[in-house]
Amino acid sequence: MRYFVALAETLHFGHAAARMNMSQPPFSRQIAAIEKTLGVRLVERNSRNVALTPAGQHFLADCRAVLEGFDAACRDVRLVAGGMKGELKLGFMMHAAHSVIPALVRLYSEARPDVRLILEERIPTDIEEMLAEGRLDAAVTFGAGPAPHLRTQLIARDRLCLIVPAGHRLAAGEPAGPQSLAGERLIAAPATVAPTLRTAIATYCASAGITPHFAFEPRLQHTIIRLVQEGLGVALIPQSLCGDLAEGVVARLLVDAPEFDVVLCAPRAGRNPAVPELFAVAGRA
Amino acid sequence: MRYFVALAETLHFGHAAARMNMSQPPFSRQIAAIEKTLGVRLVERNSRNVALTPAGQHFLADCRAVLEGFDAACRDVRLVAGGMKGELKLGFMMHAAHSVIPALVRLYSEARPDVRLILEERIPTDIEEMLAEGRLDAAVTFGAGPAPHLRTQLIARDRLCLIVPAGHRLAAGEPAGPQSLAGERLIAAPATVAPTLRTAIATYCASAGITPHFAFEPRLQHTIIRLVQEGLGVALIPQSLCGDLAEGVVARLLVDAPEFDVVLCAPRAGRNPAVPELFAVAGRA
DNA sequence: CCATTCGATACCCCAAAAGCATCAATCGAC
DNA sequence: GTCGATTGATGCTTTTGGGGTATCGAATGG
């Protein structure tokens, strides 16, 4: 096809052959071979003139399109392999959507505009499973225990703070400690959804010898806040969610507040070459 | 590329090689060669599993598109060479637009729906020139003298008839003969536009010893009719144009009306394979 | 622990493609 | 009109690339 395009552009066998870095005889034979395999006369030639037939005209346009597609495919596959292009499936737990995800996505999209970020908002346990199965390339989640098969990088540290309805006995005064939670109806996501948070809450209570009483166990942090707003209990939620609380809800600092990591993680065996830049961006964020 | 697509679809070197009608070792080498020339790992393989890398996934889609384009190009070039597809530049003189062209175009488009008809409405002298220069593949025009370099086929015979303003002295009574035109202001296209018509009119007048007086010489037959309508003269126009005359214009038969041929013609040296079917259709029309 | 499966490697061979020399046709110049 | 130059086609030789067979090594499953 390149031979034919060269011939069509020069209309001269010798010059076209030179452009293809070969001598004229094999070039002529190649053109003849193309015509034979196609069973179609592409160029009308005598020893003095070379002209395209109508079929040749049409074929020229098609050849250019095919060759351009071919070259683009070869170029793109290198970009994909270099992580400059392609797709990246990024999972994240819901509350990260309100803290690190927006900045991370923005920075990454600036660094890799041709990588299509596919955002998957899931609960932490699902994220873990999807990472293991390769259905996610990377994820932003809680920093759980050491996971040897995961590359992990700290993005942020967060801490729990207490939210109570306005007018609640803990809504003012000294910062609350774990013992303040005695007798309170707690609202928290179930352990199957966010084990890290749940464990942190349980440990915090246990440090004061308290057995927490969970009145409701919704899955979404926003639901928790709403329930607190309605006076149905109190909750310990990540501080990053306390920025713009609804009316009627008060956030309080906790004494010795439980802290936890928000990390970016990806399978070490992951093959997506677009992932490393995500860690680079996360390090700068 | 076909090798890679086969491998990507089977994810099995042996099976893919069989699909390509070859044995597994050279097939493995080809895949390795592709990866080497691209400088990109396309498939992750060990002796037990074969899986595409992200780059391979992307490349697979591109390969399918390129191969499909390639196959389509090979298929289409045969269609073009067979006259089943492509373009056909068809010239025609203006008055043919009202007689043979509509039916001819309809029949041809039904027979060759993938041939794009490019209609060029021109004056007969231009048509002749454009045919000679190859800027037209075929044309519908007046049957002039024998032209050895043209393939010619009669489509219709037409004759001149007289049009006069309503109320004109020739608007009723016996059919007019050439002598009736004596003293009339004639309106006709100039010889440079339609030599055949002009010659026919001149010959007709000469047969009665009359020297015609041309009052106006517009290029378009429709302009002629309008001028007649305004009472500015009389005209001899092709009968095929007399079908739907405007109000105020009367068409009359002529005694011994000059006849002329409307022919389809194309250069015998023409290379457009879509032309022969045009003659076939014209023969049936 | 052995047999089987599957991709990789080694070696060989052939055919396709490239190079070289030459021919034939065409066109321009004198 | 003849000669020379240009240009595509053809014949022959060489080389390279792609394919075949045999075999190896790793991984898997009974």
Side-chain angles (χ1 to χ4, degrees), chain A residues 3 21-23 25-26 29-30 46-49:
Chain A
Y3 291 173
N21 299 312
M22 61 192 294
S23 57
R29 276 196 296 265
Q30 286 301 321
N46 51 45
S47 12
R48 219 60 200 175
N49 291 310

Side-chain angles (χ1 to χ4, degrees), chain B residues 190-279:
Chain B
T192 51
V193 168
T196 305
L197 285 187
R198 185 67 175 236
T199 305
I201 295 170
T203 305
Y204 189 59
C205 292
S207 70
I210 294 169
T211 303
H213 166 56
F214 292 103
F216 301 99
E217 298 190 330
R219 298 166 63 90
L220 300 185
Q221 300 288 319
H222 279 103
T223 310
I224 293 173
I225 296 173
R226 282 287 296 146
L227 294 183
V228 170
Q229 187 181 20
E230 295 293 331
L232 297 172
V234 303
L236 302 183
I237 65 171
Q239 190 171 23
S240 59
L241 289 177
C242 296
D244 53 346
L245 286 178
E247 195 77 18
V249 184
V250 177
R252 304 299 317 278
L253 291 181
L254 285 172
V255 178
D256 297 327
E259 296 195 332
F260 51 89
D261 295 342
V262 176
V263 300
L264 173 66
C265 57
R268 291 192 188 278
R271 294 262 154 242
N272 192 328
V275 167
E277 178 65 15
L278 193 60
F279 280 87

Side-chain angles (χ1 to χ4, degrees), chain A residues 46-180:
Chain A
N46 51 45
S47 12
R48 219 60 200 175
N49 291 310
V50 177
L52 292 183
T53 63
Q57 298 270 5
H58 196 97
F59 194 56
L60 172 61
D62 286 352
C63 280
R64 285 196 174 120
V66 169
L67 289 174
E68 189 165 343
F70 177 82
D71 292 339
C74 294
R75 200 179 335 115
D76 287 355
V77 76
R78 292 193 183 95
L79 290 178
V80 174
M84 300 302 294
K85 187 175 162 71
E87 293 185 345
L88 196 160
K89 295 205 233 344
L90 175 63
F92 61 96
M93 55 185 186
M94 306 185 181
H95 103 260
H98 302 274
S99 53
V100 299
I101 281 290
L104 186 64
V105 168
R106 183 176 58 77
L107 286 172
Y108 188 79
S109 296
E110 286 168 2
R112 294 284 185 268
D114 290 333
V115 176
R116 191 178 138 78
L117 271 181
I118 299 174
L119 299 177
E120 302 270 2
E121 188 173 18
R122 295 295 157 85
I123 59 178
T125 49
D126 284 354
I127 285 176
E128 204 172 337
E129 181 184 328
M130 292 173 75
L131 277 175
E133 290 175 357
R135 286 155 54 207
L136 287 179
D137 295 311
V140 173
T141 184
F142 292 124
H149 64 291
L150 291 180
R151 175 183 173 185
T152 301
Q153 180 168 310
L154 180 66
I155 299 184
R157 282 193 65 78
D158 204 349
R159 63 176 54 123
L160 291 179
C161 57
L162 175 69
I163 60 171
V164 297
H168 188 276
R169 66 172 176 94
L170 295 174
E174 296 289 309
Q179 69 286 349
S180 317

Side-chain angles (χ1 to χ4, degrees), chain B residues 3 22-23 25-26 29-30 47-48:
Chain B
Y3 292 173
M22 61 194 291
S23 58
R29 275 199 303 263
Q30 286 303 321
S47 17
R48 217 61 198 174

Side-chain angles (χ1 to χ4, degrees), chain B residues 19-238:
Chain B
R19 181 187 291 190
M20 295 291 102
N21 299 311
M22 61 194 291
S23 58
Q24 171 262 322
F27 183 85
S28 291
R29 275 199 303 263
Q30 286 303 321
I31 297 295
I34 295 173
E35 291 183 326
K36 190 180 174 189
T37 47
L38 288 178
V40 168
R41 194 71 177 268
L42 296 176
V43 290
E44 209 60 51
R45 66 258 204 197
N46 51 46
S47 17
R48 217 61 198 174
N49 290 311
V50 175
L52 292 183
T53 62
Q57 298 270 6
H58 196 97
F59 194 56
L60 173 60
D62 286 353
C63 281
R64 285 193 172 121
V66 168
L67 290 174
E68 189 165 342
F70 177 82
D71 293 340
C74 294
R75 200 179 336 112
D76 287 355
V77 76
R78 292 191 183 93
L79 291 179
V80 174
M84 301 302 296
K85 187 177 162 70
E87 294 185 345
L88 196 160
K89 296 204 234 344
L90 176 63
F92 61 96
M93 55 187 185
M94 305 184 181
H95 103 260
H98 301 275
S99 52
V100 299
I101 282 290
L104 187 65
V105 168
R106 183 176 56 77
L107 286 171
Y108 187 80
S109 295
E110 286 167 3
R112 295 283 185 270
D114 289 334
V115 175
R116 189 178 141 76
L117 270 182
I118 300 175
L119 299 177
E120 301 271 2
E121 189 174 17
R122 294 296 156 84
I123 60 177
T125 48
D126 283 357
I127 286 176
E128 203 172 337
E129 182 185 329
M130 291 171 77
L131 278 174
E133 290 176 356
R135 285 153 57 204
L136 287 179
D137 295 311
V140 174
T141 184
F142 291 123
H149 64 290
L150 291 181
R151 175 181 174 185
T152 302
Q153 180 168 310
L154 181 66
I155 300 184
R157 282 191 67 77
D158 204 349
R159 67 175 51 121
L160 291 180
C161 56
L162 175 69
I163 58 171
V164 298
H168 189 275
R169 67 174 176 94
L170 296 174
E174 295 289 306
Q179 69 288 349
S180 319
L181 301 177
E184 288 292 338
R185 289 169 305 176
L186 282 176
I187 305 175
T192 51
V193 168
T196 305
L197 285 187
R198 185 67 175 236
T199 305
I201 295 170
T203 305
Y204 189 59
C205 292
S207 70
I210 294 169
T211 303
H213 166 56
F214 292 103
F216 301 99
E217 298 190 330
R219 298 166 63 90
L220 300 185
Q221 300 288 319
H222 279 103
T223 310
I224 293 173
I225 296 173
R226 282 287 296 146
L227 294 183
V228 170
Q229 187 181 20
E230 295 293 331
L232 297 172
V234 303
L236 302 183
I237 65 171

